[in-house]
Amino acid sequence: GTQTKSADVERADSGIGQMPARKWRNRASETLSSLQAWEAHRPCTDCGERDLPAETDVQNCNQRRADLCEKCRKRRTERKESVLEFVNTEASYGEDLRIIKEEFYLPMQAAGLLSQEQLQGIFSNIQELIDLNENFLEILQEEIDQAFDQGDDDLMTVCIGEIFLEFVNMLPAFQTYCLQQSSSVNMLNALEKEKELLRIFLNVSQNDNTALRRMNLRSFLMAPLQRVTKYPLLLSRIIKATTEYHPDHGSLREAKSRIESHLEHINMKTKQEGNTWTLRSFRQDSKKKREVINIEMRETALKTVGWLREETRFVMEGSLQLAQPPDGQWVKKGSKTLKFQNMQVLLLVNMKRVSESSLESAEPGPVKDAVLVLIRDKNNGKFHLLREPLRLSNCIVSTDPDCDDTFELIEIRREAFVFRDSDRARTHHWFRQIRRYSRELGSWKKRRNALPNIMISTPHTRP
């Protein structure tokens, strides 16, 4: 052991001279300080700005957060809180729905306090709302758990907007409930005056049932109204804390717009039915009015095709210009000689549900059917269909290379239509979506060997 010690000492004394060692030490500290300088000016991973704090203590905060500027770090915290608030309040709302069913509806039914018809009158479509909430909540919780499992502590991978849009069928269910609200409260008041046993049951429940938090049945029946009016506020908070580069940003805005429009629509229907109450009102700008009209059009379209609402997806909707070539053939250069008229067009897709066990299966199945519904612009406050819906399984869609601001839809053995949007990019978007579903469903696939456009799209086959 002593030999090694003296050898070590010897090596240290007779090794590299003082100068080079000092030089190396200086260079090392220069490198370190330039690395620290680069570290301090490295761009923030969220916003790209270069104002990161100089002291980034990587040990104390995870590496991803160390790459963020102060503003973005704060924003991520706010976003996470807003996302969790959305999910937690959805869970509390679900709890209130469960109380309505377990503590009021079922005991009243079991004791025969009210007839089935009276129960239906008071509780409306509460079961539908329960099913929807359970499915919605399950998907939300899964997303949160998955994010945490993958080490995404800021929940940046959770896309509330996207999930909300998948569950947009909740909105008509809320509408049904809200529109029945005043008649259900009136019925409850009348029955309570009339039936002593009901009055006793409701009093005892409120005072002795701890699950009710001393709230009465009327308060619980307000839960769906309070929930549906809270969505825009909760979504606004998430939007505010979500950078516009985030993949969910567009979906969040679309979700907020959809829910606000539905609230306006419910208010409008409420007024039409002469009820005095309305949901909290939202600013009426032209976009909202337009969306309310869209909701009416969707209802018209749904009635026309006769599909179940929960199996229907509205893929696209909006105004298009439409022309019908007189001889069923597209004239060269298309739009020059064609007469176009404005039309409201809705692309509806009918999805098979994978499981029949619940009202809204979280997983839509394969496409059963797809149609284009053509609606004339509103006349005397009513929408009129131009003709029966166009079944895409029976249509061929094509574009002409010489005329790229329109596309053509030919209904096999029937009529031809030429469509265009005032915006060329949107025309192309419509074309791609319609073509996608016509190809997916086309019965002519087998006959034409899956080449539907071979007879139509080549320019030299046109006169």
Side-chain angles (χ1 to χ4, degrees):
T2 50
Q3 274 181 333
T4 17
K5 251 182 203 161
S6 61
D8 279 352
V9 171
E10 214 174 317
R11 196 177 297 123
D13 291 345
S14 63
I16 309 162
Q18 290 278 302
M19 278 304 285
R22 195 176 299 126
K23 247 186 197 156
W24 180 83
R25 266 204 306 279
N26 287 347
R27 178 140 330 124
S29 71
E30 272 170 33
T31 310
L32 187 64
S33 63
S34 72
L35 269 172
Q36 280 170 341
W38 177 81
E39 189 86 341
H41 288 91
R42 156 179 112 249
C44 162
T45 50
D46 273 12
C47 68
E49 297 291 325
R50 292 178 176 270
D51 60 348
L52 285 178
E55 301 285 320
T56 46
D57 187 352
V58 182
Q59 284 81 23
N60 289 352
C61 60
N62 77 38
Q63 183 58 50
R64 218 171 25 250
R65 286 186 81 86
D67 296 340
L68 297 171
C69 68
E70 196 50 49
K71 198 170 71 192
C72 289
R73 196 175 300 179
K74 205 169 145 207
R75 183 195 264 166
R76 278 195 180 199
T77 305
E78 280 167 15
R79 186 178 185 281
K80 178 182 179 177
E81 283 168 3
S82 311
V83 165
L84 289 174
E85 182 189 15
F86 188 98
V87 180
N88 294 338
T89 52
E90 187 68 28
S92 312
Y93 159 63
E95 195 51 40
D96 284 349
L97 292 180
R98 198 192 59 72
I99 288 173
I100 293 173
K101 185 182 176 182
E102 306 285 329
E103 310 295 335
F104 289 108
Y105 181 89
L106 292 175
M108 283 158 78
Q109 188 183 42
L113 288 177
L114 298 178
S115 70
Q116 201 51 47
E117 203 178 314
Q118 290 165 333
L119 287 168
Q120 171 64 39
I122 290 171
F123 294 97
S124 185
N125 62 330
I126 201 81
Q127 186 57 52
E128 184 182 13
L129 292 174
I130 289 170
D131 293 341
L132 285 163
N133 165 265
E134 281 176 2
N135 287 324
F136 188 37
L137 197 56
E138 191 184 341
I139 300 288
L140 289 169
Q141 299 278 20
E142 269 173 23
E143 286 285 309
I144 301 277
D145 294 345
Q146 195 180 350
F148 282 137
D149 288 350
Q150 291 169 347
D152 170 19
D153 293 337
D154 292 331
L155 305 181
M156 290 303 277
T157 54
V158 175
C159 293
I160 295 281
E162 215 172 273
I163 301 169
F164 193 96
L165 289 175
E166 275 177 37
F167 279 85
V168 90
N169 278 341
M170 289 191 300
L171 302 181
F174 275 113
Q175 177 176 312
T176 302
Y177 187 89
C178 293
L179 291 176
Q180 285 189 23
Q181 178 64 19
S182 64
S183 66
S184 86
V185 168
N186 292 342
M187 182 182 260
L188 179 60
N189 292 343
L191 288 167
E192 222 181 334
K193 281 196 189 102
E194 188 187 308
K195 294 179 182 283
E196 195 187 357
L197 281 177
L198 175 67
R199 205 161 53 242
I200 293 168
F201 167 77
L202 292 175
N203 277 334
V204 169
S205 298
Q206 186 178 349
N207 295 322
D208 300 350
N209 185 343
T210 50
L212 303 190
R213 316 187 292 277
R214 289 200 169 273
M215 280 162 50
N216 61 20
L217 173 57
R218 275 175 205 73
S219 309
F220 281 102
L221 289 175
M222 287 301 287
L225 279 77
Q226 287 160 345
R227 185 61 189 163
V228 76
T229 49
K230 199 155 185 228
Y231 282 134
L233 184 68
L234 293 167
L235 289 166
S236 289
R237 280 183 200 160
I238 303 174
I239 292 169
K240 202 171 157 209
T242 302
T243 153
E244 60 195 79
Y245 311 115
H246 192 282
D248 198 35
H249 195 266
S251 298
L252 282 164
R253 298 192 84 87
E254 165 77 357
K256 180 171 178 272
S257 168
R258 281 285 187 90
I259 179 73
E260 287 186 340
S261 308
H262 256 275
L263 293 175
E264 285 296 355
H265 182 61
I266 292 169
N267 277 343
M268 188 185 77
K269 287 257 194 207
T270 307
K271 279 191 200 119
Q272 281 171 4
E273 291 173 20
N275 292 334
T276 46
W277 70 274
T278 58
L279 292 169
R280 189 172 63 79
S281 212
F282 292 86
R283 66 179 193 288
Q284 272 275 21
D285 56 22
S286 56
K287 187 174 179 218
K288 292 287 164 303
K289 282 190 181 131
R290 194 170 67 239
E291 262 292 329
V292 169
I293 289 171
N294 281 0
I295 294 167
E296 287 182 70
M297 282 199 307
R298 281 175 217 149
E299 290 188 350
T300 306
L302 209 53
K303 262 194 209 113
T304 308
V305 293
W307 297 343
L308 288 174
R309 194 187 288 275
E310 58 271 22
E311 292 185 356
T312 306
R313 259 186 63 216
F314 292 89
V315 179
M316 281 191 82
E317 56 202 349
S319 65
L320 278 178
Q321 295 181 320
L322 169 148
Q324 287 187 270
D327 58 354
Q329 271 307 311
W330 199 347
V331 186
K332 187 73 176 158
K333 293 289 179 196
S335 48
K336 296 284 182 291
T337 50
L338 291 171
K339 284 197 178 73
F340 281 91
Q341 55 175 320
N342 287 329
M343 196 61 55
Q344 296 294 335
V345 181
L346 294 93
L347 170 56
L348 277 67
V349 174
N350 192 1
M351 314 292 282
K352 259 202 194 84
R353 281 177 302 171
V354 172
S355 97
E356 290 297 321
S357 64
S358 70
L359 187 95
E360 162 116 353
S361 162
E363 204 184 329
V367 174
K368 274 201 291 196
D369 208 349
V371 297
L372 271 193
V373 177
L374 309 176
I375 296 178
R376 293 177 193 278
D377 276 346
K378 216 167 178 180
N379 182 18
N380 301 331
K382 280 211 166 69
F383 288 115
H384 295 286
L385 295 178
L386 175 73
R387 61 188 308 290
E388 78 264 22
L390 286 159
R391 295 218 121 65
L392 293 191
S393 56
N394 207 27
C395 293
I396 296 168
V397 194
S398 62
T399 50
D400 182 347
D402 297 337
C403 183
D404 70 345
D405 63 343
T406 55
F407 63 90
E408 184 177 34
L409 183 142
I410 292 183
E411 203 182 2
I412 295 171
R413 292 196 299 278
R414 290 191 67 186
E415 307 174 77
F417 298 88
V418 177
F419 290 99
R420 70 178 180 200
D421 192 289
S422 47
D423 174 66
R424 188 170 295 197
R426 272 189 66 77
T427 302
H428 288 188
H429 187 51
W430 272 101
F431 166 66
R432 283 194 299 273
Q433 291 282 15
I434 293 171
R435 182 181 58 180
R436 177 189 153 195
Y437 290 107
S438 75
R439 281 185 172 171
E440 209 167 306
L441 294 159
S443 49
W444 33 258
K445 263 187 194 165
K446 305 165 194 69
R447 296 200 305 276
R448 286 175 175 269
N449 200 15
L451 290 172
N453 293 349
I454 200 157
M455 304 303 292
I456 301 166
S457 3
T458 48
H460 59 261
T461 58
R462 286 263 161 72

